[in-house]
Amino acid sequence: MPPAGTGPEDTGTPDGEWLRVHPASPFVRGWVALAAITFFFGRDLFERTLQGQPVFEDGFARRAPWLLGGGAAVLAVAVLGFVLTWYFTKYQVSGGYVRVNTGLLFRQHRQARLDRVQAIDIVQPLLARIFGLAELKFEVADAGESAVRLAYLRIDDARRLRATILARASGAEAGFGAGPAAGAAAHPGPGSPSAASFAPPAPEAPEIQVLSVPPSRLVGSLLLSEQSFFIVVGGFASVVLSALTDNRAFYFYLVPAALGLAASYWNFFNKGYNFTAAVSPDGIRLRYGLLDTQAQTLPPGRIQAVKIAQPPLWRPFGWYRMQVNVAGYGTSGNAVEGNTRTILLPVGKFADVLAMLSLVLPDPGTDRPAEVFAAGLTGRDSDGGFTTTPRRARLLAPLGWRRNGFAATDTALLIRSGRWWRDLVLVPHQRTQSLAIHQGPVARRFRVADLVLHTTAGPVAPRLTQAGLDEARQLFDEQSARARLARKRQTTEQWLRQVVPAVEPAPVPGTPVPGAPYPGAPASEARTHYQQEGQTHG
């Protein structure tokens, strides 16, 4: 067994050997327990010091040996538990899977298929950053929560392991692809280890930064958020009611609201601070965080749906927010963590939106993407080729009937809605899992219906509201056909083999290609359209 905290990339051991996490991992995870023990035994001393009393009360000398013995026993049990937790936590990357074994009395074995990897995050809480450690989180398509969590590894080991897993999941590393040949290489017979089993780790792929969010813009977006609007309205109402009733108790209702708003502000500022987005062959890399830093890697093609939103107070500044559905993210056990991880862009200009869309949807399916997306965000009626709610149903949505509509490109379905709170939802055709038409009694009277697209759980809920009944039925049939055809074209889960066709020679790593988003990537005419039209509409 190699030293703790190392991997095959450090020692040259064969792929598939069981390895342990860093020895300091249980202490980083269990510092709360150590702090609780310290507080329990030191609380009386601290309180007596604050009250100006003697530090040690009468008779303390007789009880000191028992207290010290009890404290030492509790500390020894805690340390022993930490050591055993570390000893029985092992991980392995082999045969197209990443596996983690944990537990002493209650054993747990978790594994994730590499070709189902949806995203990989590197998380560094404040204490882990001090020790130079990081946690790896693997999200897979068929898991309701994080399938695998490796806590903690040295930051360099975590980055190398992430690069190796992404290389194998994407098909960049030979011997770990899908299919019988790959399976034979991953499961060699006794006494005949394959060459792939001893393959060196993949180097971390190069990247190019796409955008960053200035802290001033982040603060401005928080101050102009919906929460701020409602707290101001609530404060104004409290002042008016207090003046009319001569009752100052209304002010106290603002205290929990203000505390909740402050906590919400701090959470979003802490998670969104220093937000940067970059592109690499591995996928979209997002980094953010003030105290606790996080580095997400979203492989291309794993994003199920995208929503671009603009609250009313952001409109004068031209700001937008982008959220995504990714398998595993939307069903995270921690709601705050899940909401943070689904943000693709906390706040940005229209040019930033186009830049991120060029990564999520490299081929927009139209030769004028900026015009179409601008119509989806700010247009009305048939702007950009959208089909809206028929005029006969304007009573159902007097403000939004000219905005509610849809448009389809060769690669995605666009759904827009909202007059004041503007939303634009994009769903790649191959990510449409199923469709449904909903029609209530009032909608039947006006001959309109809602069309619902089902994707993975998350903050994006694609729903076309109040479309004409004939248009909804036609879109249902056409979108079903487009989704079926798009899924047939996707012949492998390995996204790199989808991006780089077999007939195109693989470029030399690190060699820039004209029009490419990162060194070594294939050129994209659609991305050129994004850039040119983004400058025109900017």
Side-chain angles (χ1 to χ4, degrees):
M1 179 68 63
T6 63
E9 61 269 24
D10 301 308
T11 63
T13 55
D15 173 74
E17 184 166 351
W18 288 94
L19 306 168
R20 291 195 178 96
V21 296
H22 196 277
S25 300
F27 297 95
V28 175
R29 289 198 304 265
W31 68 270
V32 176
L34 295 178
I37 295 174
T38 304
F39 173 78
F40 178 79
F41 286 97
R43 180 182 57 183
D44 291 340
L45 299 180
F46 182 71
E47 291 179 351
R48 294 176 66 85
T49 301
L50 291 180
Q51 296 172 1
Q53 300 178 7
V55 176
F56 302 107
E57 59 183 0
D58 297 338
F60 178 79
R62 295 191 302 271
R63 294 186 290 114
W66 296 100
L67 293 175
L68 292 176
V74 172
L75 183 61
V77 170
V79 172
L80 179 62
F82 288 167
V83 172
L84 292 177
T85 300
W86 164 79
Y87 183 81
F88 286 95
T89 300
K90 301 177 182 180
Y91 68 95
Q92 177 196 58
V93 180
S94 176
Y97 288 86
V98 54
R99 303 179 177 89
V100 177
N101 287 343
T102 58
L104 172 60
L105 298 178
F106 301 95
R107 303 301 301 274
Q108 185 181 59
H109 175 80
R110 308 198 74 174
Q111 68 178 17
R113 284 176 50 181
L114 297 185
D115 61 354
R116 291 297 185 94
V117 169
Q118 298 289 313
I120 298 183
D121 300 354
I122 293 182
V123 184
Q124 283 190 286
L126 181 59
L127 190 60
R129 289 174 61 188
I130 296 175
F131 287 95
L133 304 179
E135 176 186 7
L136 272 183
K137 291 183 180 180
F138 305 89
E139 301 291 348
V140 295
D142 51 358
E145 58 182 13
S146 293
V148 175
R149 301 170 73 105
L150 279 178
Y152 288 87
L153 306 175
R154 290 183 306 192
I155 181 62
D156 293 336
D157 295 342
R159 289 171 178 166
R160 284 195 291 266
L161 183 58
R162 178 185 64 174
T164 300
I165 291 176
L166 286 173
R168 297 182 183 183
S170 65
E173 184 171 324
F176 292 91
H187 300 281
S192 58
S194 66
S197 298
F198 295 88
E204 189 168 14
E207 67 176 42
I208 290 181
Q209 182 170 317
V210 176
L211 60 87
S212 62
V213 177
S216 58
R217 184 189 299 171
L218 182 63
V219 172
S221 68
L222 294 176
L223 296 178
L224 296 177
S225 62
E226 297 92 334
Q227 298 94 322
S228 300
F229 173 78
F230 288 115
I231 197 67
V232 170
V233 172
F236 179 77
S238 299
V239 171
V240 172
L241 291 175
S242 298
L244 294 177
T245 62
D246 198 22
N247 185 355
R248 300 294 184 266
F250 289 103
Y251 291 117
F252 292 101
Y253 294 117
L254 294 177
V255 174
L259 293 178
L261 183 65
S264 176
Y265 277 170
W266 168 249
N267 176 68
F268 280 101
F269 181 79
N270 182 38
K271 298 296 184 181
Y273 182 81
N274 197 30
F275 184 96
T276 60
V279 61
S280 76
D282 290 341
I284 305 170
R285 294 181 180 175
L286 308 178
R287 295 184 179 88
Y288 50 85
L290 178 60
L291 298 181
D292 300 344
T293 62
Q294 187 160 328
Q296 291 179 245
T297 301
L298 300 177
R302 297 307 203 199
I303 294 177
Q304 311 291 316
V306 183
K307 181 173 73 173
I308 308 168
Q310 185 184 54
L313 297 179
W314 287 14
R315 194 175 304 174
F317 302 93
W319 293 343
Y320 300 91
R321 178 193 299 120
M322 299 182 68
Q323 292 178 284
V324 295
N325 283 2
V326 178
Y329 274 10
T331 54
S332 174
N334 188 332
V336 175
E337 179 186 4
N339 292 335
T340 303
R341 298 169 71 192
T342 56
I343 295 178
L344 189 64
L345 178 65
V347 55
K349 298 279 192 177
F350 182 67
D352 300 328
V353 171
L354 289 182
M356 297 306 295
L357 285 177
S358 69
L359 309 182
V360 175
L361 199 67
D363 180 7
T366 175
D367 57 357
R368 47 189 183 92
E371 178 183 342
V372 173
F373 296 141
L377 292 171
T378 62
R380 295 186 302 177
D381 299 327
S382 60
D383 295 346
F386 277 79
T387 302
T388 58
T389 300
R391 187 178 183 85
R392 63 177 179 271
R394 63 185 182 277
L395 293 179
L396 299 180
L399 297 179
W401 70 276
R402 301 177 65 183
R403 276 276 304 162
N404 300 338
F406 70 93
T409 70
D410 294 341
T411 56
L413 179 67
L414 284 63
I415 302 175
R416 73 181 185 191
S417 61
R419 176 72 178 273
W420 298 106
W421 276 266
R422 297 172 174 172
D423 288 340
L424 175 63
V425 174
L426 295 87
V427 181
H429 295 322
Q430 69 271 22
R431 299 305 170 189
T432 302
Q433 297 181 359
S434 62
L435 301 97
I437 294 180
H438 295 177
Q439 187 184 48
V442 178
R444 283 198 295 269
R445 171 67 180 80
F446 290 91
R447 297 193 73 250
V448 294
D450 293 357
L451 181 69
V452 179
L453 281 74
H454 301 139
T455 66
T456 57
V460 186
R463 187 185 187 99
L464 173 62
T465 58
Q466 298 164 353
L469 183 58
D470 296 335
E471 290 82 354
R473 290 172 175 171
Q474 182 180 358
L475 178 61
F476 182 92
D477 295 334
E478 293 178 351
Q479 185 62 22
S480 299
R482 283 191 289 257
R484 184 166 55 252
L485 180 60
R487 285 192 294 268
K488 287 183 178 179
R489 291 174 178 173
Q490 182 176 329
T491 57
T492 176
E493 290 288 341
Q494 297 176 335
W495 61 86
L496 194 60
R497 298 191 178 186
Q498 299 173 28
V499 176
V500 184
V503 297
E504 180 178 339
V508 178
T511 303
V513 179
Y518 51 80
S524 173
E525 182 180 355
R527 185 169 294 104
T528 303
H529 284 301
Y530 270 111
Q531 297 170 349
Q532 293 176 349
E533 293 210 6
Q535 295 172 358
T536 302
H537 286 75

